[in-house]
Amino acid sequence: MFKKILNGLIDHPILTSLFVTDFGILLFHRPPFIFSLLMLGALMVMCMYFGQKLALFNN
């Protein structure tokens, strides 16, 4: 399962770098409230995209 996640992230390098950058900014910095809401929304959209794209528990 871990290998499937890594392969999915490697297949989409631009989205992966956006995901990591967005997560790091939200975790370690305090952006303004409205900007942080937009970034959190973008992070949720990327998580849903990766979740659907990887489909880890499909039989």
Side-chain angles (χ1 to χ4, degrees):
M1 183 167 89
F2 188 68
K3 185 176 180 177
K4 192 172 184 181
I5 293 172
L6 283 179
N7 286 339
L9 292 176
I10 290 171
D11 288 342
H12 304 285
I14 294 173
L15 287 178
T16 303
S17 63
L18 282 174
F19 179 80
V20 169
T21 304
D22 193 9
F23 185 72
I25 288 172
L26 285 175
L27 190 63
F28 296 118
H29 297 294
R30 298 292 291 175
F33 182 72
I34 299 297
F35 188 61
S36 65
L37 281 178
L38 291 172
M39 289 177 68
L40 185 64
L43 192 64
M44 288 173 30
V45 166
M46 284 186 276
C47 285
M48 287 189 284
Y49 175 76
F50 280 131
Q52 185 178 9
K53 195 69 170 175
L54 294 176
L56 293 176
F57 300 109
N58 267 356
N59 291 330

